């Protein structure tokens, strides 16, 4: 690990001011950043510790939504009564991610900012446009079993690892940001992460000096919420495919649906195509299959990860069928 300087910010205003220098980075739980610093992938010259900022509260909003402070630990968020009872898909997603020890340390803001990465990103001998823009992507012609089938290009096919962000995408959450001029702006979670395009090393829409201060949840959507994660082993593993689904039925007809995928794209993948196929149609397996086909219509396999296309479709169908049964729908 290279040498660096360190300071602890005591207010959000001081934090965004301190990180304005070119080689500075925020650090909170450090569950991703410190690993990358040890591997000489991340090389900040100055760390601004924001872990003590008073941003841990989970507050109810006047419209019935929630404001989640950026420093709220993943474990505290998953266990919060309002989250467990009104935003079950978020609690389920958090508990499916990482280990208990990491959830105790990882923050809500840090979870959103963890790097989109793959084994080639960690291997400094491999070509990786994220580490060295313009060098190429070893995964495209290499072993790409865990890589993206949606939203990727030839510059990068890594997948975003966050379970939490997939649930937030299905819940229409927003990210609250603060900059050095004390200007606050809000960005939809579905717009917060960028697709790789020609700049895969730029992963979010954060501007220089901006900091996440909160995540905002609107009032809970109608229907049953379910998060399903398919992975190679039962714990402490990134998703091969995950699905966050919200489904409401009335007399056997789907009245409201939201679908988001994880493990399939460089960002949490909200599928409006699947939602359009579901809404207003009978809660049957034929409808779920049509929605899955629509969701995977633009999917591209690269050899080793071809299986993900069918896996994602089947995972969506099973998740929707479970949601419909739990909500009183007909899942024939």
């Amino acid at each position: 690990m290279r040498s660096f300087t360190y300071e602890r910010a005591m207010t959000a205003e001081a934090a965004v001011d301190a990180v304005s220098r070119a080689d500075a980075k925020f650090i909170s739980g450090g569950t991703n950043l410190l690993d990358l610093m040890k591997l000489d992938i991340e090389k900040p010259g100055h760390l601004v510790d924001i872990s003590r900022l008073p941003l841990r509260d989970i507050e109810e909003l006047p419209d019935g939504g929630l404001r989640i402070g950026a420093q709220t630990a993943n474990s505290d968020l998953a266990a919060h009564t309002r989250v467990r009872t009104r935003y079950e898909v978020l609690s389920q997603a958090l508990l499916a991610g990482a280990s208990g020890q990491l959830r105790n340390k990882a923050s809500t803001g840090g979870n959103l900012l963890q790097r989109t990465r793959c084994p080639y990103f960690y291997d400094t001998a491999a070509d990786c446009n994220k580490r060295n823009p313009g060098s190429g992507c070893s995964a495209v012609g290499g072993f790409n079993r865990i890589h993206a089938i949606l939203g990727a290009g030839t510059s990068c096919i890594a997948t975003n690892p966050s379970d939490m962000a997939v649930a937030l995408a299905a819940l229409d959450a927003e990210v609250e940001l603060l900059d050095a001029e004390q200007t606050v702006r809000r960005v939809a979670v579905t717009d917060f992460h960028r697709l790789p395009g020609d700049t895969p090393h730029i992963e979010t829409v954060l501007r220089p000096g901006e900091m996440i201060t909160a995540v905002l949840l609107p009032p809970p959507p109608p229907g049953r919420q379910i998060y399903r994660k398919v992975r190679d082993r039962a714990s402490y593993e990134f998703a091969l495919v995950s699905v966050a689904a919200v489904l409401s039925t009335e007399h056997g007809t789907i009245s409201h649906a939201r679908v988001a995928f994880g493990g399939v794209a460089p960002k949490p993948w909200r599928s409006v195509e699947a939602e359009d196929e579901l809404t207003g149609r009978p809660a049957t397996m034929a409808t779920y299959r049509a929605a899955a086909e629509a969701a995977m219509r633009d999917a591209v396999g690269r050899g080793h990860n071809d299986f993900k296309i069918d896996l994602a479709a089947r995972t969506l169908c099973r998740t929707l069928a479970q949601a419909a049964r739990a909500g009183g729908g007909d899942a024939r």
Side-chain angles (χ1 to χ4, degrees):
M1 185 184 292
R2 299 173 184 239
S3 61
F4 57 88
T5 54
Y6 167 91
E7 68 175 289
R8 178 178 294 169
M10 302 309 295
T11 66
E13 293 76 16
V16 292
D17 182 63
V19 85
S20 61
R21 55 183 282 185
D23 62 345
K25 280 188 175 291
F26 291 125
I27 185 169
S28 181
T31 56
N32 184 213
L33 178 60
L34 289 178
D35 284 345
L36 297 178
M37 289 174 64
K38 292 173 184 177
L39 293 170
D40 209 28
I41 294 171
E42 292 278 9
K43 306 170 185 177
H46 185 63
L47 290 182
V48 181
D49 185 347
I50 57 174
S51 62
R52 304 300 197 278
L53 296 184
L55 298 173
R56 296 179 180 271
D57 291 339
I58 301 175
E59 305 168 288
E60 186 148 9
L61 298 174
D63 66 357
L66 289 182
R67 184 180 189 275
I68 303 162
Q71 289 303 311
T72 303
N74 285 178
S75 54
D76 292 339
L77 182 58
H80 194 274
T81 300
R82 290 190 182 93
V83 175
R84 287 190 294 107
T85 57
R86 295 162 57 188
Y87 303 95
E88 305 100 311
V89 69
L90 176 55
S91 182
Q92 293 167 19
L94 286 162
L95 293 174
S99 64
Q101 295 92 331
L102 287 175
R103 290 196 298 270
N104 286 340
K105 196 67 176 173
S107 65
T108 299
N111 188 306
L112 287 173
L113 289 174
Q114 63 181 305
R115 296 297 304 270
T116 297
R117 56 202 189 269
C118 79
Y120 294 104
F121 174 73
Y122 285 110
D123 181 2
T124 55
D127 293 330
C128 176
N129 287 316
K130 284 185 179 294
R131 282 187 287 100
N132 184 17
S135 64
C137 176
S138 292
V140 170
F143 184 66
N144 48 49
R145 179 176 177 271
I146 65 171
H147 290 74
I149 55 175
L150 290 166
T154 56
S155 66
C156 179
I157 57 173
T159 57
N160 184 282
S162 175
D163 294 287
M164 181 191 79
V166 180
L168 292 177
L171 292 169
D172 282 339
E174 292 183 317
V175 185
E176 181 184 274
L177 307 172
L178 177 72
D179 66 15
E181 282 69 47
Q182 311 308 307
T183 301
V184 176
R185 69 178 178 121
R186 295 181 180 180
V187 177
V189 163
T190 49
D191 296 328
F192 181 73
H193 296 94
R194 294 164 45 115
L195 294 179
D198 296 327
T199 56
H201 58 292
I202 304 175
E203 297 175 359
T204 73
V205 298
L206 270 179
R207 299 166 184 164
E210 276 189 322
M211 179 179 70
I212 297 175
T213 50
V215 169
L216 305 171
L217 290 174
R224 176 65 189 273
Q225 305 173 20
I226 293 178
Y227 187 76
R228 183 181 297 277
K229 182 176 182 178
V230 181
R231 46 192 164 178
D232 282 326
R233 59 184 180 185
S235 64
Y236 194 32
E237 185 70 280
F238 292 153
L240 291 171
V241 168
S242 65
V243 171
V246 182
L247 196 73
S248 177
T249 61
E250 295 179 9
H251 308 294
T253 298
I254 299 168
S255 56
H256 182 84
R258 295 187 191 173
V259 171
F261 289 94
V264 299
K267 60 183 288 184
W269 195 262
R270 180 77 176 263
S271 181
V272 295
E273 298 84 359
E275 295 169 2
D276 289 344
E277 286 290 333
L278 291 166
T279 307
R281 289 179 167 81
T284 64
M285 189 56 68
T287 297
Y288 309 148
R289 291 193 184 105
E293 182 178 349
M296 293 295 114
R297 188 168 294 137
D298 296 326
V300 176
R302 297 183 181 272
H304 303 105
N305 67 347
D306 291 350
F307 75 98
K308 274 194 174 189
I309 299 174
D310 183 55
L311 179 62
R314 288 187 286 110
T315 303
L316 176 60
C317 290
R318 184 176 178 186
T319 306
L320 292 170
Q322 181 183 352
R325 286 195 300 270
D330 182 1
R332 292 190 300 271

